[in-house]
Each structure stands twice: as C-alpha cells, then as structure tokens.
Amino acid sequence: MPADAIGRFLAALDPDHREAVSGRPREEQERLAAAWERELESDDELDTLDELSPPAAEAEAARRVLAREP
C-alpha cells in the first residue's frame, strides 16, 4: 500500500481516472490528494463507510474530489 498521500489517492481511483490523474503535473496531483484527505476527514458519512470498508470510503472520497474538478 502506498505511503504518501498522492500514492494513496491514486490507489483509491478507478483505473481510468488513475491513469488520467497520473499524467497531470505533480502540483495538481498534490492538490487533489490534499482535497481527498480533507474529504475523508470532514465527511461523517464517509466515517461510517470507513468502518465497514476503508477502501470503499477512500474510493468514494476520490470520486467526489474528481467530480468537483472543472
């Protein structure tokens, strides 16, 4: 399992999005990973999902972060 925030964020993405985000500049990847971590920390609904399935909570947070992207 990746130890850094970007690696964990990329691992939470589905394969198509992972490839697309991997091709973005490092600064943008860092920004997205930080937004992903904030989403995981701040959403109570994800806390409940995290208790049942941490990978599912991480994937949902990643999906939400990308959905907010222009």
Side-chain angles (χ1 to χ4, degrees):
M1 170 162 231
D4 70 319
I6 294 174
R8 292 189 333 267
F9 173 63
L10 291 173
L13 294 170
D14 65 73
D16 290 336
H17 287 111
R18 184 178 309 124
E19 185 176 330
V21 171
S22 294
R24 295 182 183 186
R26 176 83 179 174
E27 296 79 25
E28 189 171 347
Q29 291 179 25
E30 289 171 350
R31 182 182 59 76
L32 290 169
W36 172 73
E37 288 185 320
R38 285 190 303 275
E39 184 74 22
L40 282 171
E41 292 171 0
S42 66
D43 191 304
D44 291 339
E45 183 181 301
L46 290 176
D47 284 343
T48 302
L49 181 58
D50 188 51
E51 291 177 16
L52 299 172
S53 174
E58 291 177 353
E60 176 61 17
R63 185 195 63 74
R64 291 178 184 183
V65 166
L66 289 182
R68 288 193 296 261
E69 282 296 295

